[in-house]
Amino acid sequence: MEKHSHDAVYYGVVNLLDNANIVGAVDVWRCRICRKLFCEDKRWGLTELVSYVGFPELAEDERWAVLVCRTSAGLTWSLVAAKPGKTLPHSCTKELVCDVNVDSDFSVHSISFIEGQGNHRLYLLDDYINRELEIGYEGIENVETRR
Ligand SMILES: [Zn+2]
Ligand SMILES: [Zn+2]
């Protein structure tokens, strides 16, 4: 692929649900030339539009994903660029830093056990464009059907 200025057009949205309640969405743009995806998270209450120019760009072999953390206090999510072997900086709570590692199948595991740490899941966004993504995983069936 020759070097070019990305020409990104709106591609779709992934709606995030926590046990059927919408908790946010990720807008996805795609470059018309190289088909690279650009993502922007849209948390409920954050409405200002941002131009895709200046969006972070995926490195080689990276894929956009949502990292979900469930603690006893509830569920949080963040948009991340994931690839196997990569360490994702993460904090379960303000005080509790708990980086996670991406495995070869894009599942995640905490690097070390820390008292009170959350339970973590990673969902690849390109599997869910213009679909709903259920990130609440109280039931084991959600864990098993993660793609
Ligand atoms: Zn491009
Ligand atoms: Zn966490």
Side-chain angles (χ1 to χ4, degrees):
M1 183 64 56
E2 274 179 44
K3 197 149 176 62
H4 61 280
S5 296
H6 295 300
D7 180 16
V9 291
Y10 188 73
Y11 188 51
V13 64
V14 179
N15 288 310
L16 304 180
L17 306 181
D18 177 5
N19 288 300
N21 297 309
I22 191 151
V23 291
V26 177
D27 276 339
V28 184
W29 280 261
R30 189 172 70 163
C31 175
R32 280 198 269 225
I33 301 163
C34 67
R35 294 174 176 261
K36 206 167 209 178
L37 298 182
F38 299 84
C39 288
E40 179 198 7
D41 67 351
K42 307 196 65 93
R43 268 152 220 286
W44 247 212
L46 266 180
T47 52
E48 74 270 30
L49 285 173
V50 184
S51 156
Y52 73 85
V53 176
F55 277 3
E57 195 171 325
L58 292 178
E60 199 67 29
D61 299 331
E62 284 184 337
R63 291 170 74 182
W64 289 114
V66 167
L67 175 65
V68 180
C69 171
R70 185 180 284 285
T71 66
S72 55
L75 178 150
T76 59
W77 62 275
S78 53
L79 180 64
V80 297
K83 76 172 178 181
K86 187 177 178 184
T87 298
L88 304 174
H90 170 74
S91 300
C92 296
T93 67
K94 269 202 188 91
E95 298 79 26
L96 207 159
V97 175
C98 179
D99 295 348
V100 297
N101 249 351
V102 182
D103 296 320
S104 56
D105 62 352
F106 282 95
S107 61
V108 282
H109 66 271
S110 311
I111 289 170
S112 52
F113 178 79
I114 301 163
E115 187 72 38
Q117 75 184 24
N119 188 293
H120 301 114
R121 293 285 180 275
L122 191 72
Y123 300 90
L124 294 171
L125 283 177
D126 36 16
D127 291 338
Y128 293 97
I129 289 165
N130 288 325
R131 290 171 53 194
E132 290 176 336
L133 168 55
E134 175 58 70
I135 59 174
Y137 49 87
E138 290 295 319
I140 196 74
E141 62 277 5
N142 270 328
V143 176
E144 295 301 321
T145 56
R146 187 195 63 79
R147 294 180 56 202

